[in-house]
PDB file of all heavy atoms in Angstrom:
ATOM      1  N   GLU A1158     114.000  94.611 102.417  1.00 96.00           N
ATOM      2  CA  GLU A1158     112.936  94.973 103.329  1.00 96.00           C
ATOM      3  C   GLU A1158     113.450  95.868 104.448  1.00 96.00           C
ATOM      4  O   GLU A1158     114.588  95.748 104.896  1.00 96.00           O
ATOM      5  CB  GLU A1158     112.283  93.722 103.930  1.00 96.00           C
ATOM      6  CG  GLU A1158     113.206  92.886 104.784  1.00 96.00           C
ATOM      7  CD  GLU A1158     112.499  91.739 105.480  1.00 96.00           C
ATOM      8  OE1 GLU A1158     111.265  91.654 105.396  1.00 96.00           O
ATOM      9  OE2 GLU A1158     113.199  90.915 106.105  1.00 96.00           O
ATOM     10  N   ALA A1159     112.583  96.769 104.904  1.00 97.00           N
ATOM     11  CA  ALA A1159     112.917  97.658 106.005  1.00 97.00           C
ATOM     12  C   ALA A1159     113.027  96.878 107.303  1.00 97.00           C
ATOM     13  O   ALA A1159     112.272  95.929 107.548  1.00 97.00           O
ATOM     14  CB  ALA A1159     111.878  98.757 106.131  1.00 97.00           C
ATOM     15  N   VAL A1160     113.960  97.293 108.154  1.00 98.00           N
ATOM     16  CA  VAL A1160     114.189  96.657 109.451  1.00 98.00           C
ATOM     17  C   VAL A1160     113.825  97.604 110.582  1.00 98.00           C
ATOM     18  O   VAL A1160     113.000  97.279 111.437  1.00 98.00           O
ATOM     19  CB  VAL A1160     115.651  96.201 109.596  1.00 98.00           C
ATOM     20  CG1 VAL A1160     115.890  95.617 110.984  1.00 98.00           C
ATOM     21  CG2 VAL A1160     116.006  95.194 108.513  1.00 98.00           C
ATOM     22  N   ALA A1161     114.457  98.774 110.610  1.00 98.00           N
ATOM     23  CA  ALA A1161     114.238  99.742 111.674  1.00 98.00           C
ATOM     24  C   ALA A1161     114.723 101.095 111.203  1.00 98.00           C
ATOM     25  O   ALA A1161     115.578 101.187 110.317  1.00 98.00           O
ATOM     26  CB  ALA A1161     114.965  99.333 112.962  1.00 98.00           C
ATOM     27  N   SER A1162     114.202 102.157 111.803  1.00 98.00           N
ATOM     28  CA  SER A1162     114.636 103.504 111.463  1.00 98.00           C
ATOM     29  C   SER A1162     114.494 104.405 112.670  1.00 98.00           C
ATOM     30  O   SER A1162     113.775 104.087 113.622  1.00 98.00           O
ATOM     31  CB  SER A1162     113.850 104.064 110.268  1.00 98.00           C
ATOM     32  OG  SER A1162     112.461 104.093 110.535  1.00 98.00           O
ATOM     33  N   ILE A1163     115.185 105.546 112.613  1.00 98.00           N
ATOM     34  CA  ILE A1163     115.195 106.471 113.733  1.00 98.00           C
ATOM     35  C   ILE A1163     115.411 107.895 113.240  1.00 98.00           C
ATOM     36  O   ILE A1163     116.167 108.130 112.297  1.00 98.00           O
ATOM     37  CB  ILE A1163     116.291 106.087 114.763  1.00 98.00           C
ATOM     38  CG1 ILE A1163     116.229 106.975 116.003  1.00 98.00           C
ATOM     39  CG2 ILE A1163     117.683 106.147 114.119  1.00 98.00           C
ATOM     40  CD1 ILE A1163     117.131 106.501 117.139  1.00 98.00           C
ATOM     41  N   TYR A1164     114.727 108.854 113.882  1.00 98.00           N
ATOM     42  CA  TYR A1164     115.042 110.261 113.686  1.00 98.00           C
ATOM     43  C   TYR A1164     116.275 110.593 114.523  1.00 98.00           C
ATOM     44  O   TYR A1164     116.260 110.431 115.750  1.00 98.00           O
ATOM     45  CB  TYR A1164     113.879 111.148 114.121  1.00 98.00           C
ATOM     46  CG  TYR A1164     112.749 111.248 113.127  1.00 98.00           C
ATOM     47  CD1 TYR A1164     111.654 110.396 113.197  1.00 98.00           C
ATOM     48  CD2 TYR A1164     112.779 112.218 112.130  1.00 98.00           C
ATOM     49  CE1 TYR A1164     110.625 110.501 112.281  1.00 98.00           C
ATOM     50  CE2 TYR A1164     111.747 112.324 111.218  1.00 98.00           C
ATOM     51  CZ  TYR A1164     110.677 111.464 111.300  1.00 98.00           C
ATOM     52  OH  TYR A1164     109.645 111.573 110.395  1.00 98.00           O
ATOM     53  N   LEU A1165     117.354 111.040 113.875  1.00 97.00           N
ATOM     54  CA  LEU A1165     118.571 111.347 114.610  1.00 97.00           C
ATOM     55  C   LEU A1165     118.366 112.493 115.594  1.00 97.00           C
ATOM     56  O   LEU A1165     119.009 112.528 116.640  1.00 97.00           O
ATOM     57  CB  LEU A1165     119.705 111.687 113.650  1.00 97.00           C
ATOM     58  CG  LEU A1165     120.286 110.506 112.871  1.00 97.00           C
ATOM     59  CD1 LEU A1165     121.432 110.962 111.987  1.00 97.00           C
ATOM     60  CD2 LEU A1165     120.755 109.403 113.813  1.00 97.00           C
ATOM     61  N   TYR A1166     117.482 113.437 115.271  1.00 96.00           N
ATOM     62  CA  TYR A1166     117.065 114.471 116.207  1.00 96.00           C
ATOM     63  C   TYR A1166     115.726 114.048 116.803  1.00 96.00           C
ATOM     64  O   TYR A1166     114.732 113.926 116.094  1.00 96.00           O
ATOM     65  CB  TYR A1166     116.918 115.834 115.527  1.00 96.00           C
ATOM     66  CG  TYR A1166     118.216 116.455 115.089  1.00 96.00           C
ATOM     67  CD1 TYR A1166     118.796 116.119 113.876  1.00 96.00           C
ATOM     68  CD2 TYR A1166     118.857 117.396 115.891  1.00 96.00           C
ATOM     69  CE1 TYR A1166     119.986 116.699 113.470  1.00 96.00           C
ATOM     70  CE2 TYR A1166     120.049 117.981 115.489  1.00 96.00           C
ATOM     71  CZ  TYR A1166     120.607 117.627 114.276  1.00 96.00           C
ATOM     72  OH  TYR A1166     121.794 118.208 113.875  1.00 96.00           O
ATOM     73  N   GLY A1167     115.713 113.814 118.105  1.00 93.00           N
ATOM     74  CA  GLY A1167     114.495 113.439 118.793  1.00 93.00           C
ATOM     75  C   GLY A1167     114.400 111.976 119.152  1.00 93.00           C
ATOM     76  O   GLY A1167     113.802 111.629 120.183  1.00 93.00           O
ATOM     77  N   GLY A1168     114.952 111.108 118.321  1.00 95.00           N
ATOM     78  CA  GLY A1168     115.075 109.706 118.667  1.00 95.00           C
ATOM     79  C   GLY A1168     113.845 108.840 118.472  1.00 95.00           C
ATOM     80  O   GLY A1168     113.820 107.697 118.952  1.00 95.00           O
ATOM     81  N   ARG A1169     112.828 109.331 117.786  1.00 97.00           N
ATOM     82  CA  ARG A1169     111.663 108.494 117.529  1.00 97.00           C
ATOM     83  C   ARG A1169     112.060 107.315 116.652  1.00 97.00           C
ATOM     84  O   ARG A1169     112.782 107.481 115.666  1.00 97.00           O
ATOM     85  CB  ARG A1169     110.562 109.309 116.859  1.00 97.00           C
ATOM     86  CG  ARG A1169     109.281 108.540 116.594  1.00 97.00           C
ATOM     87  CD  ARG A1169     108.165 109.478 116.170  1.00 97.00           C
ATOM     88  NE  ARG A1169     106.982 108.768 115.745  1.00 97.00           N
ATOM     89  CZ  ARG A1169     106.067 108.271 116.561  1.00 97.00           C
ATOM     90  NH1 ARG A1169     106.211 108.422 117.883  1.00 97.00           N
ATOM     91  NH2 ARG A1169     105.013 107.641 116.085  1.00 97.00           N
ATOM     92  N   THR A1170     111.586 106.113 117.006  1.00 98.00           N
ATOM     93  CA  THR A1170     112.017 104.884 116.353  1.00 98.00           C
ATOM     94  C   THR A1170     110.856 104.128 115.735  1.00 98.00           C
ATOM     95  O   THR A1170     109.702 104.271 116.141  1.00 98.00           O
ATOM     96  CB  THR A1170     112.740 103.955 117.340  1.00 98.00           C
ATOM     97  OG1 THR A1170     111.862 103.653 118.434  1.00 98.00           O
ATOM     98  CG2 THR A1170     113.997 104.612 117.878  1.00 98.00           C
ATOM     99  N   PHE A1171     111.197 103.285 114.770  1.00 97.00           N
ATOM    100  CA  PHE A1171     110.229 102.460 114.056  1.00 97.00           C
ATOM    101  C   PHE A1171     110.860 101.105 113.792  1.00 97.00           C
ATOM    102  O   PHE A1171     112.045 101.008 113.494  1.00 97.00           O
ATOM    103  CB  PHE A1171     109.829 103.116 112.727  1.00 97.00           C
ATOM    104  CG  PHE A1171     109.370 104.537 112.862  1.00 97.00           C
ATOM    105  CD1 PHE A1171     110.286 105.577 112.836  1.00 97.00           C
ATOM    106  CD2 PHE A1171     108.032 104.843 113.022  1.00 97.00           C
ATOM    107  CE1 PHE A1171     109.879 106.891 112.970  1.00 97.00           C
ATOM    108  CE2 PHE A1171     107.606 106.151 113.159  1.00 97.00           C
ATOM    109  CZ  PHE A1171     108.529 107.176 113.133  1.00 97.00           C
ATOM    110  N   TYR A1172     110.047 100.035 113.897  1.00 98.00           N
ATOM    111  CA  TYR A1172     110.536  98.681 113.708  1.00 98.00           C
ATOM    112  C   TYR A1172     109.578  97.882 112.847  1.00 98.00           C
ATOM    113  O   TYR A1172     108.362  98.058 112.911  1.00 98.00           O
ATOM    114  CB  TYR A1172     110.688  97.953 115.049  1.00 98.00           C
ATOM    115  CG  TYR A1172     111.678  98.583 115.991  1.00 98.00           C
ATOM    116  CD1 TYR A1172     111.259  99.495 116.954  1.00 98.00           C
ATOM    117  CD2 TYR A1172     113.027  98.262 115.923  1.00 98.00           C
ATOM    118  CE1 TYR A1172     112.167 100.076 117.821  1.00 98.00           C
ATOM    119  CE2 TYR A1172     113.936  98.840 116.791  1.00 98.00           C
ATOM    120  CZ  TYR A1172     113.499  99.747 117.739  1.00 98.00           C
ATOM    121  OH  TYR A1172     114.406 100.316 118.597  1.00 98.00           O
ATOM    122  N   SER A1173     110.133  96.972 112.065  1.00 97.00           N
ATOM    123  CA  SER A1173     109.297  96.031 111.348  1.00 97.00           C
ATOM    124  C   SER A1173     108.756  94.999 112.328  1.00 97.00           C
ATOM    125  O   SER A1173     109.337  94.748 113.390  1.00 97.00           O
ATOM    126  CB  SER A1173     110.089  95.342 110.237  1.00 97.00           C
ATOM    127  OG  SER A1173     111.084  94.490 110.788  1.00 97.00           O
ATOM    128  N   ASN A1174     107.645  94.375 111.966  1.00 97.00           N
ATOM    129  CA  ASN A1174     107.044  93.379 112.840  1.00 97.00           C
ATOM    130  C   ASN A1174     107.985  92.196 113.092  1.00 97.00           C
ATOM    131  O   ASN A1174     107.984  91.613 114.182  1.00 97.00           O
ATOM    132  CB  ASN A1174     105.737  92.870 112.247  1.00 97.00           C
ATOM    133  CG  ASN A1174     104.636  93.912 112.285  1.00 97.00           C
ATOM    134  OD1 ASN A1174     104.652  94.819 113.110  1.00 97.00           O
ATOM    135  ND2 ASN A1174     103.661  93.773 111.396  1.00 97.00           N
ATOM    136  N   SER A1175     108.803  91.843 112.116  1.00 96.00           N
ATOM    137  CA  SER A1175     109.651  90.669 112.236  1.00 96.00           C
ATOM    138  C   SER A1175     110.782  90.833 113.242  1.00 96.00           C
ATOM    139  O   SER A1175     111.306  89.831 113.731  1.00 96.00           O
ATOM    140  CB  SER A1175     110.223  90.283 110.873  1.00 96.00           C
ATOM    141  OG  SER A1175     111.029  91.326 110.350  1.00 96.00           O
ATOM    142  N   VAL A1176     111.175  92.066 113.562  1.00 97.00           N
ATOM    143  CA  VAL A1176     112.283  92.292 114.486  1.00 97.00           C
ATOM    144  C   VAL A1176     111.851  92.990 115.760  1.00 97.00           C
ATOM    145  O   VAL A1176     112.656  93.093 116.702  1.00 97.00           O
ATOM    146  CB  VAL A1176     113.427  93.089 113.826  1.00 97.00           C
ATOM    147  CG1 VAL A1176     113.852  92.446 112.518  1.00 97.00           C
ATOM    148  CG2 VAL A1176     113.033  94.548 113.617  1.00 97.00           C
ATOM    149  N   ASN A1177     110.630  93.457 115.819  1.00 95.00           N
ATOM    150  CA  ASN A1177     110.148  94.180 116.986  1.00 95.00           C
ATOM    151  C   ASN A1177     110.297  93.330 118.249  1.00 95.00           C
ATOM    152  O   ASN A1177     109.897  92.170 118.278  1.00 95.00           O
ATOM    153  CB  ASN A1177     108.688  94.581 116.800  1.00 95.00           C
ATOM    154  CG  ASN A1177     108.200  95.520 117.882  1.00 95.00           C
ATOM    155  OD1 ASN A1177     108.874  96.473 118.238  1.00 95.00           O
ATOM    156  ND2 ASN A1177     107.000  95.251 118.401  1.00 95.00           N
ATOM    157  N   GLY A1178     110.904  93.916 119.280  1.00 97.00           N
ATOM    158  CA  GLY A1178     111.143  93.210 120.525  1.00 97.00           C
ATOM    159  C   GLY A1178     112.490  92.536 120.602  1.00 97.00           C
ATOM    160  O   GLY A1178     112.917  92.148 121.694  1.00 97.00           O
ATOM    161  N   ARG A1179     113.164  92.377 119.467  1.00 98.00           N
ATOM    162  CA  ARG A1179     114.484  91.743 119.435  1.00 98.00           C
ATOM    163  C   ARG A1179     115.593  92.714 119.050  1.00 98.00           C
ATOM    164  O   ARG A1179     116.724  92.561 119.497  1.00 98.00           O
ATOM    165  CB  ARG A1179     114.491  90.568 118.464  1.00 98.00           C
ATOM    166  CG  ARG A1179     113.509  89.463 118.823  1.00 98.00           C
ATOM    167  CD  ARG A1179     113.673  88.244 117.926  1.00 98.00           C
ATOM    168  NE  ARG A1179     113.379  88.563 116.528  1.00 98.00           N
ATOM    169  CZ  ARG A1179     114.267  88.461 115.538  1.00 98.00           C
ATOM    170  NH1 ARG A1179     115.507  88.049 115.789  1.00 98.00           N
ATOM    171  NH2 ARG A1179     113.917  88.763 114.293  1.00 98.00           N
ATOM    172  N   PHE A1180     115.280  93.683 118.203  1.00 98.00           N
ATOM    173  CA  PHE A1180     116.260  94.674 117.746  1.00 98.00           C
ATOM    174  C   PHE A1180     115.972  96.016 118.396  1.00 98.00           C
ATOM    175  O   PHE A1180     114.815  96.358 118.662  1.00 98.00           O
ATOM    176  CB  PHE A1180     116.198  94.849 116.229  1.00 98.00           C
ATOM    177  CG  PHE A1180     116.665  93.667 115.418  1.00 98.00           C
ATOM    178  CD1 PHE A1180     116.934  92.441 116.001  1.00 98.00           C
ATOM    179  CD2 PHE A1180     116.829  93.797 114.047  1.00 98.00           C
ATOM    180  CE1 PHE A1180     117.350  91.359 115.246  1.00 98.00           C
ATOM    181  CE2 PHE A1180     117.248  92.728 113.283  1.00 98.00           C
ATOM    182  CZ  PHE A1180     117.509  91.509 113.880  1.00 98.00           C
ATOM    183  N   THR A1181     117.023  96.798 118.627  1.00 98.00           N
ATOM    184  CA  THR A1181     116.894  98.136 119.170  1.00 98.00           C
ATOM    185  C   THR A1181     117.762  99.089 118.366  1.00 98.00           C
ATOM    186  O   THR A1181     118.965  98.861 118.219  1.00 98.00           O
ATOM    187  CB  THR A1181     117.312  98.191 120.649  1.00 98.00           C
ATOM    188  OG1 THR A1181     116.540  97.261 121.410  1.00 98.00           O
ATOM    189  CG2 THR A1181     117.093  99.592 121.210  1.00 98.00           C
ATOM    190  N   ILE A1182     117.158 100.157 117.860  1.00 98.00           N
ATOM    191  CA  ILE A1182     117.911 101.163 117.132  1.00 98.00           C
ATOM    192  C   ILE A1182     118.043 102.404 118.005  1.00 98.00           C
ATOM    193  O   ILE A1182     117.076 102.838 118.639  1.00 98.00           O
ATOM    194  CB  ILE A1182     117.273 101.489 115.765  1.00 98.00           C
ATOM    195  CG1 ILE A1182     118.185 102.411 114.946  1.00 98.00           C
ATOM    196  CG2 ILE A1182     115.880 102.073 115.915  1.00 98.00           C
ATOM    197  CD1 ILE A1182     117.758 102.568 113.493  1.00 98.00           C
ATOM    198  N   THR A1183     119.246 102.961 118.072  1.00 98.00           N
ATOM    199  CA  THR A1183     119.521 104.180 118.810  1.00 98.00           C
ATOM    200  C   THR A1183     120.301 105.122 117.912  1.00 98.00           C
ATOM    201  O   THR A1183     120.847 104.717 116.890  1.00 98.00           O
ATOM    202  CB  THR A1183     120.314 103.908 120.098  1.00 98.00           C
ATOM    203  OG1 THR A1183     121.527 103.224 119.782  1.00 98.00           O
ATOM    204  CG2 THR A1183     119.499 103.060 121.065  1.00 98.00           C
ATOM    205  N   GLY A1184     120.355 106.391 118.297  1.00 98.00           N
ATOM    206  CA  GLY A1184     121.058 107.362 117.479  1.00 98.00           C
ATOM    207  C   GLY A1184     121.597 108.516 118.286  1.00 98.00           C
ATOM    208  O   GLY A1184     121.175 108.757 119.416  1.00 98.00           O
ATOM    209  N   ASN A1185     122.533 109.225 117.694  1.00 97.00           N
ATOM    210  CA  ASN A1185     123.129 110.404 118.295  1.00 97.00           C
ATOM    211  C   ASN A1185     123.368 111.413 117.176  1.00 97.00           C
ATOM    212  O   ASN A1185     124.188 111.188 116.289  1.00 97.00           O
ATOM    213  CB  ASN A1185     124.433 110.059 119.005  1.00 97.00           C
ATOM    214  CG  ASN A1185     125.041 111.242 119.721  1.00 97.00           C
ATOM    215  OD1 ASN A1185     125.511 112.188 119.092  1.00 97.00           O
ATOM    216  ND2 ASN A1185     125.036 111.194 121.048  1.00 97.00           N
ATOM    217  N   ASN A1186     122.649 112.544 117.224  1.00 97.00           N
ATOM    218  CA  ASN A1186     122.746 113.509 116.142  1.00 97.00           C
ATOM    219  C   ASN A1186     124.102 114.209 116.102  1.00 97.00           C
ATOM    220  O   ASN A1186     124.597 114.543 115.026  1.00 97.00           O
ATOM    221  CB  ASN A1186     121.613 114.544 116.231  1.00 97.00           C
ATOM    222  CG  ASN A1186     121.617 115.317 117.536  1.00 97.00           C
ATOM    223  OD1 ASN A1186     121.090 114.857 118.547  1.00 97.00           O
ATOM    224  ND2 ASN A1186     122.200 116.503 117.518  1.00 97.00           N
ATOM    225  N   ALA A1187     124.702 114.442 117.275  1.00 97.00           N
ATOM    226  CA  ALA A1187     126.006 115.092 117.310  1.00 97.00           C
ATOM    227  C   ALA A1187     127.063 114.233 116.622  1.00 97.00           C
ATOM    228  O   ALA A1187     127.974 114.756 115.978  1.00 97.00           O
ATOM    229  CB  ALA A1187     126.410 115.399 118.745  1.00 97.00           C
ATOM    230  N   GLN A1188     126.956 112.920 116.772  1.00 98.00           N
ATOM    231  CA  GLN A1188     127.885 111.998 116.137  1.00 98.00           C
ATOM    232  C   GLN A1188     127.436 111.592 114.739  1.00 98.00           C
ATOM    233  O   GLN A1188     128.180 110.890 114.043  1.00 98.00           O
ATOM    234  CB  GLN A1188     128.054 110.746 117.002  1.00 98.00           C
ATOM    235  CG  GLN A1188     128.642 111.005 118.370  1.00 98.00           C
ATOM    236  CD  GLN A1188     128.748 109.740 119.202  1.00 98.00           C
ATOM    237  OE1 GLN A1188     128.073 109.569 120.202  1.00 98.00           O
ATOM    238  NE2 GLN A1188     129.607 108.828 118.766  1.00 98.00           N
ATOM    239  N   LYS A1189     126.231 111.991 114.354  1.00 98.00           N
ATOM    240  CA  LYS A1189     125.650 111.606 113.064  1.00 98.00           C
ATOM    241  C   LYS A1189     125.672 110.095 112.902  1.00 98.00           C
ATOM    242  O   LYS A1189     125.964 109.570 111.821  1.00 98.00           O
ATOM    243  CB  LYS A1189     126.403 112.275 111.906  1.00 98.00           C
ATOM    244  CG  LYS A1189     126.442 113.793 111.969  1.00 98.00           C
ATOM    245  CD  LYS A1189     127.207 114.369 110.784  1.00 98.00           C
ATOM    246  CE  LYS A1189     127.346 115.874 110.883  1.00 98.00           C
ATOM    247  NZ  LYS A1189     128.117 116.425 109.722  1.00 98.00           N
ATOM    248  N   THR A1190     125.342 109.384 113.962  1.00 98.00           N
ATOM    249  CA  THR A1190     125.508 107.940 114.014  1.00 98.00           C
ATOM    250  C   THR A1190     124.267 107.268 114.575  1.00 98.00           C
ATOM    251  O   THR A1190     123.623 107.787 115.490  1.00 98.00           O
ATOM    252  CB  THR A1190     126.719 107.562 114.877  1.00 98.00           C
ATOM    253  OG1 THR A1190     127.913 108.112 114.303  1.00 98.00           O
ATOM    254  CG2 THR A1190     126.882 106.056 114.978  1.00 98.00           C
ATOM    255  N   ALA A1191     123.945 106.110 114.029  1.00 98.00           N
ATOM    256  CA  ALA A1191     122.930 105.232 114.588  1.00 98.00           C
ATOM    257  C   ALA A1191     123.521 103.855 114.792  1.00 98.00           C
ATOM    258  O   ALA A1191     124.461 103.455 114.093  1.00 98.00           O
ATOM    259  CB  ALA A1191     121.704 105.154 113.689  1.00 98.00           C
TER     260      ALA A1191
END
């Protein structure tokens, strides 16, 4: 099942209902890392 996702450019994020409010996804396009 999906948990969370992010656009590495721009930083728009998405969360599943089960983790929303508890998990945080971040990213950095220069580092190609989330």
Side-chain angles (χ1 to χ4, degrees):
E1158 64 174 354
V1160 177
S1162 59
I1163 185 171
Y1164 281 93
L1165 288 182
Y1166 291 84
R1169 182 169 173 81
T1170 58
F1171 308 87
Y1172 298 94
S1173 68
N1174 290 335
S1175 61
V1176 308
N1177 189 45
R1179 299 187 297 118
F1180 292 9
T1181 303
I1182 187 169
T1183 57
N1185 184 291
N1186 59 277
Q1188 298 178 247
K1189 302 180 184 179
T1190 299

